[in-house]
Amino acid sequence: MSMIRDLREAVRPTLRKSSGPYSAYGAYDTTRDPSASSAVVDCAVYRDGERVKDEACLNPHEAMLRVREGGGFAWIGLHEPTEEEFSGIAAEFGLHPLAVEDAVHAHQRPKLERYDDTLFTVFKTIHYVEHAELTATSEVVEAGEVMCFTGPDFVITVRHGGQGSLRNLRHRLQDDPELLAKGPSAVLHAIADHVVDGYIAVADAVQVDIDEIEIDVFSAPSKGSTRGTDTGRIYQLKREVLEFKRAVTPLLRPMQLLSERPMRLVDPEVQKYFRDVADHLARVQEQVIGFDELLNSILQANLAQATVAQNEDMRKITSWAAIIAVPTAVCGIYGMNFDHMPELHWRYGYPMVLVGIVGICLTIHRTLKRNGWL
């Protein structure tokens, strides 16, 4: 491991000697078009819980220089950086290539990994998508990702997706200098707490959708409606809950580790706050598991209702077929061209047959209706 550190130290001066003060850092190349968007959302240095005021906007290289000169820590926020944009930052902070690859390409499972003196944490952010009516194609939750590199004197957050901005979170932390003074671990806790609070809000909104589906399935069907029409909506909501579950469940173990296992990069005072985050996350996990089981029950009940409705339809069809069979049989018998048939030449034979057919059909209809078949 020491050989790797020596190699990094040997490479960094070489990078800094290349043309332009920041040309070695892909996101800060001076040949870059100034109007082009940058992956860096914010970059600041914090000392004693206060943000160091600067006339010019810092870049990661300058931020780390100021941290090494005056202490404190740097917090760098990025949004969907490319490999070229992140390569310079990775070299500056000595980030592990495997963690860098995960941060750039995203689509990672929530996890906590340690590389030398850096903690790499992956969070799945979940956003509730508002909709006027839940349909079989409605998007209920939208997922994003936040990766957090936490070192002794730096925090690097990499965000993927259109949701989950950390700007308001940064401002709230800056309004609490006492907490921010505890260093990078305080930022890591704030991000974890922010993500889990988002889970709680989404769980409450999803609960409303499930209640709506449950009422629709178990309420009396309106005239002309058919059972089984909610199956698509239930299945779509179940798929969205499954995506929610994939974000919540894997994160529980990392939060337990951060709250229970002593770590050199986590302040002991901050570690106590991770217990609260782990408790909230466990509660959300129980809710999501309950959602999944409840939707399974609702789906099964809906399919059972559809089967019952089909059986009722078949009974009605069978009942009418039994009624229609009476005139069909009588007419079929008298339709045979035999010379000698009962009452064939009787004057009142025709009306008597009609009266008999009607009487038998009414009797069958009354019997079937009394038994609930019609």
Side-chain angles (χ1 to χ4, degrees):
M1 200 63 66
S2 60
M3 294 178 61
I4 296 176
R5 292 196 187 97
D6 294 341
L7 180 60
R8 286 172 181 164
E9 293 300 325
V11 171
R12 286 174 187 167
T14 306
L15 292 174
R16 297 188 184 110
K17 290 178 182 178
S18 55
S19 59
Y22 315 121
S23 60
Y25 308 92
Y28 319 103
D29 194 342
T30 53
T31 62
R32 215 180 139 90
D33 182 2
S35 63
S37 60
S38 172
V40 178
V41 177
D42 199 352
C43 179
V45 173
Y46 297 89
R47 292 194 187 105
D48 301 323
E50 298 287 346
R51 178 167 180 159
V52 177
K53 303 298 183 181
D54 296 282
E55 296 180 359
C57 181
L58 291 176
N59 62 59
H61 175 59
E62 291 177 339
M64 281 310 296
L65 287 180
R66 299 195 181 192
V67 168
R68 289 163 184 162
E69 291 172 358
F73 70 94
W75 183 359
I76 302 158
L78 301 98
H79 180 243
E80 297 183 353
T82 63
E83 292 184 11
E84 292 75 13
E85 290 174 323
F86 202 41
S87 60
I89 297 176
E92 175 68 32
F93 293 91
L95 305 181
H96 196 279
L98 293 177
V100 171
E101 182 180 0
D102 290 346
V104 171
H105 297 289
H107 303 294
Q108 303 299 315
R109 190 172 184 267
K111 59 184 178 180
L112 172 66
E113 295 178 341
R114 179 172 180 175
Y115 297 97
D116 297 335
D117 291 333
T118 303
L119 287 179
F120 177 61
T121 315
V122 178
F123 301 94
K124 283 278 190 182
T125 58
I126 296 294
H127 171 71
Y128 181 77
V129 180
E130 297 289 344
H131 45 268
E133 182 181 0
L134 182 64
T135 66
T137 57
S138 295
E139 185 180 13
V140 179
V141 296
E142 181 182 359
E145 291 182 48
V146 174
M147 285 83 163
C148 186
F149 294 88
T150 310
D153 53 6
F154 67 86
V155 177
I156 301 173
T157 54
V158 182
R159 184 168 60 88
H160 290 267
Q163 305 296 332
S165 174
L166 301 177
R167 180 174 300 175
N168 293 334
L169 173 65
R170 187 187 286 259
H171 291 164
R172 288 200 303 270
L173 276 175
Q174 290 174 173
D175 293 337
D176 189 359
E178 184 177 351
L179 178 61
L180 197 57
K182 297 186 182 299
S185 60
V187 177
L188 178 60
H189 162 265
I191 294 172
D193 189 52
H194 173 72
V195 171
V196 173
D197 284 346
Y199 292 166
I200 295 174
V202 172
D204 292 340
V206 171
Q207 180 69 65
V208 174
D209 284 335
I210 294 177
D211 291 343
E212 178 185 341
I213 288 263
E214 190 173 18
I215 292 172
D216 290 344
V217 169
F218 290 102
S219 61
S222 58
K223 188 176 181 179
S225 67
T226 58
R227 291 292 187 183
T229 56
D230 292 320
T231 304
R233 295 198 302 159
I234 299 172
Y235 186 72
Q236 175 64 15
L237 186 55
K238 183 173 173 58
R239 291 187 62 182
E240 297 295 302
V241 168
L242 181 60
E243 185 172 3
F244 191 8
K245 186 177 180 180
R246 291 195 188 106
V248 173
T249 302
L251 187 60
L252 187 59
R253 180 57 179 165
M255 291 299 101
Q256 290 173 342
L257 290 176
L258 287 171
S259 63
E260 298 172 359
R261 181 178 297 178
M263 295 185 182
R264 189 170 38 146
L265 295 172
V266 178
D267 187 282
E269 291 296 322
V270 175
Q271 191 169 37
K272 299 176 182 178
Y273 292 95
F274 276 110
R275 297 174 189 170
D276 185 59
V277 177
D279 289 341
H280 290 171
L281 185 62
R283 190 186 73 181
V284 175
Q285 185 196 30
E286 292 174 358
Q287 281 186 281
V288 174
I289 293 175
F291 291 162
D292 193 30
E293 294 176 352
L294 182 58
L295 285 172
N296 282 335
S297 301
I298 294 174
L299 182 60
Q300 291 173 1
N302 188 64
L303 294 176
Q305 289 177 343
T307 302
V308 170
Q310 290 175 355
N311 290 338
E312 291 176 353
D313 293 339
M314 289 303 299
R315 289 199 302 177
K316 291 179 181 180
I317 294 172
T318 304
S319 299
W320 285 112
I323 294 172
I324 295 173
V326 174
T328 301
V330 174
C331 293
I333 292 173
Y334 278 89
M336 295 184 291
N337 297 320
F338 294 109
D339 290 334
H340 304 285
M341 294 184 68
E343 315 303 337
L344 191 61
H345 299 287
W346 184 38
R347 181 177 180 181
Y348 300 104
Y350 177 70
M352 286 299 294
V353 169
L354 291 181
V355 171
I357 290 173
V358 172
I360 295 172
C361 289
L362 289 176
T363 302
I364 296 174
H365 181 274
R366 184 178 179 181
T367 303
L368 292 173
K369 191 169 185 178
R370 186 171 61 241
N371 294 330
W373 282 58
L374 286 174

